[in-house]
Amino acid sequence: MRQFSNHFYILLVIFTLISCVVENTPDFDPTVQKDMSLEVAKEVEIFYSDSAKLKAKIDGRVMRRSVDRANPYDEFDEGVVVHFYNEEGVADSHLFSDYAIRYDNKNMVIARDPSGVVLTNTEGDSLISTELLWLNEENKITTDKFVYIRTADRKIWGQGFESNMDFTKGKIRAVEGELEVEDFNDSED
């Protein structure tokens, strides 16, 4: 009986040692620390509303969200489309960009694209710039970068731009362009 109990204790020790072995699998590596302040989501839609009215919708392939309490942000580094809605709930302007970052604390979105961030409206007008800022609280889109605007009858470019969200009222700070000017007659005194 004594020999049986010795074998039992030896087997118990062996099984205990075997069960404590941690395998290094691709899913688990105890030496790697994960960044728990970053969340990743794919094929995302974010809706913005004010007083129960839809104001904007952001569509992105991949969104990386920093949950850092001091500076939370959402980053779209694989492309983003933003649809802006009027009071009737109709999408009246659209922004397309290869990259965008939304800062929660600042309530703003910065869109950047070396080949051009594009903003269009329902009139067929388009604006192209390497960077646009969407300032949600101020209800405007702005940039201090070079801009190019194409309408049905005009091509305008310049440095710096500011517009309302639906891209119907805007101004270029340092404007240049090709404009048709109607003939005007000298008035006689």
Side-chain angles (χ1 to χ4, degrees):
M1 186 70 161
R2 186 171 187 99
Q3 194 172 28
F4 174 73
S5 71
N6 286 343
H7 289 297
F8 176 74
Y9 288 119
I10 292 172
L11 285 173
L12 183 62
V13 169
I14 291 173
F15 285 128
T16 303
L17 291 174
I18 290 173
S19 66
C20 291
V21 173
V22 176
E23 293 183 26
N24 287 331
T25 63
D27 296 334
F28 177 73
D29 186 351
T31 62
V32 175
Q33 280 192 318
K34 301 283 184 179
D35 182 4
M36 300 307 285
S37 66
L38 190 66
E39 301 172 342
V40 178
K42 295 183 179 183
E43 302 302 326
V44 296
E45 288 184 320
I46 300 173
F47 296 89
Y48 289 94
S49 63
D50 184 16
S51 303
K53 289 190 176 187
L54 182 62
K55 295 295 183 182
K57 181 177 100 168
I58 298 177
D59 295 320
R61 287 186 212 119
V62 175
M63 179 183 79
R64 289 168 175 70
R65 171 173 282 190
S66 167
V67 291
D68 175 21
R69 291 182 188 193
N71 189 26
Y73 63 86
D74 299 331
E75 185 175 35
F76 301 86
D77 58 1
E78 293 187 24
V80 66
V81 177
V82 181
H83 307 280
F84 298 99
Y85 293 83
N86 62 19
E87 289 297 317
E88 291 78 37
V90 176
D92 57 7
S93 59
H94 311 276
L95 183 143
F96 306 89
S97 180
D98 279 347
Y99 174 86
I101 187 164
R102 183 180 73 87
Y103 293 102
D104 286 353
N105 294 346
K106 297 177 184 176
N107 207 6
M108 69 184 256
V109 176
I110 301 172
R112 292 184 184 115
D113 190 335
S115 60
V117 177
V118 178
L119 178 65
T120 62
N121 66 13
T122 55
E123 304 296 318
D125 303 334
S126 63
L127 174 140
I128 302 170
S129 182
T130 57
E131 179 179 271
L132 288 178
L133 283 72
W134 165 27
L135 305 174
N136 196 32
E137 285 182 3
E138 298 175 39
N139 205 28
K140 69 180 179 181
I141 296 171
T142 184
T143 187
D144 60 352
K145 308 289 186 205
F146 177 83
V147 295
Y148 173 78
I149 298 175
R150 185 176 43 95
T151 68
D153 58 346
R154 298 180 190 161
K155 294 178 184 173
I156 307 167
W157 54 91
Q159 195 72 30
F161 174 79
E162 186 174 305
S163 170
N164 60 353
M165 298 294 273
D166 57 6
F167 185 42
T168 56
K169 296 176 185 171
K171 62 182 176 182
I172 297 176
R173 293 185 190 101
V175 66
E176 296 181 32
E178 297 174 5
L179 305 170
E180 276 189 37
V181 178
E182 292 183 26
D183 292 333
F184 57 93
N185 297 326
D186 292 303
S187 59
E188 295 180 27
D189 296 328

